Amino acid sequence: MASFAKLNSENIVTTVVSVVNDVLKDSNGVEQESIGIQFLKSLYNEPNAIWKQTSYNTHGGIHSLGGVPFRKNHAGIGYIYDSQRDAFISPKPYNSWILNETTCLWKAPIAYPNDGQLYIWNEQTLNWILQTP
């Protein structure tokens, strides 16, 4: 299955759908994003809709099955499509977090502790807080 994200006028993802891969194939049997986009525009009767293909197997610029990463991250509703980076970027979780330009993932200003325990981010103290049972 191929995934596609529908964008609004501000490049925010409003819908994510799956399309059978065979729908995307051209006369030579090669999958083409443009064919999938035309299919969705016709299916939803929205000729001016903006669709971008996204990869379920891509996260942080890495393809989990060893394939070619596609648009940095799988799109989700509320994500932004950044045309300069050709990437889907999740909403910023906290004001202090910084976008990693390589992965297009948000990163806390302080690294998550690597001690096997569970922490949550505290934006007021700008630090990780240990979760106690």
Side-chain angles (χ1 to χ4, degrees):
M1 295 291 272
S3 297
F4 285 83
K6 182 179 175 184
L7 309 177
N8 69 12
S9 61
E10 297 173 340
N11 281 345
I12 297 172
V13 176
T14 60
T15 305
V16 179
V17 298
S18 295
V19 175
V20 176
N21 289 44
D22 285 344
V23 170
L24 281 66
K25 291 183 179 177
D26 63 17
S27 59
N28 295 319
V30 178
E31 292 180 14
Q32 301 289 336
E33 177 181 20
S34 60
I35 295 172
I37 290 169
Q38 288 308 312
F39 170 78
L40 290 167
K41 287 181 175 187
S42 176
L43 178 69
Y44 289 103
N45 195 26
E46 296 177 324
N48 297 320
I50 301 168
W51 291 92
K52 296 285 182 184
Q53 192 170 356
T54 183
S55 171
Y56 180 79
N57 295 311
T58 300
H59 179 76
I62 297 172
H63 193 281
S64 63
L65 302 176
V68 177
F70 193 63
R71 296 200 165 114
K72 300 289 184 179
N73 298 292
H74 183 262
I77 294 174
Y79 280 44
I80 295 171
Y81 172 70
D82 183 316
S83 60
Q84 290 182 326
R85 295 178 179 94
D86 191 27
F88 288 105
I89 301 171
S90 68
K92 189 173 186 176
Y94 300 99
N95 285 334
S96 64
W97 286 34
I98 303 157
L99 185 67
N100 178 312
E101 294 290 335
T102 303
T103 64
C104 287
L105 296 172
W106 295 104
K107 182 179 171 186
I110 297 173
Y112 189 88
N114 189 15
D115 60 7
Q117 299 192 62
L118 182 61
Y119 294 83
I120 62 168
W121 181 253
N122 184 309
E123 185 68 7
Q124 291 179 333
T125 63
L126 300 178
N127 211 339
W128 294 102
I129 306 296
L130 177 65
Q131 292 299 287
T132 55

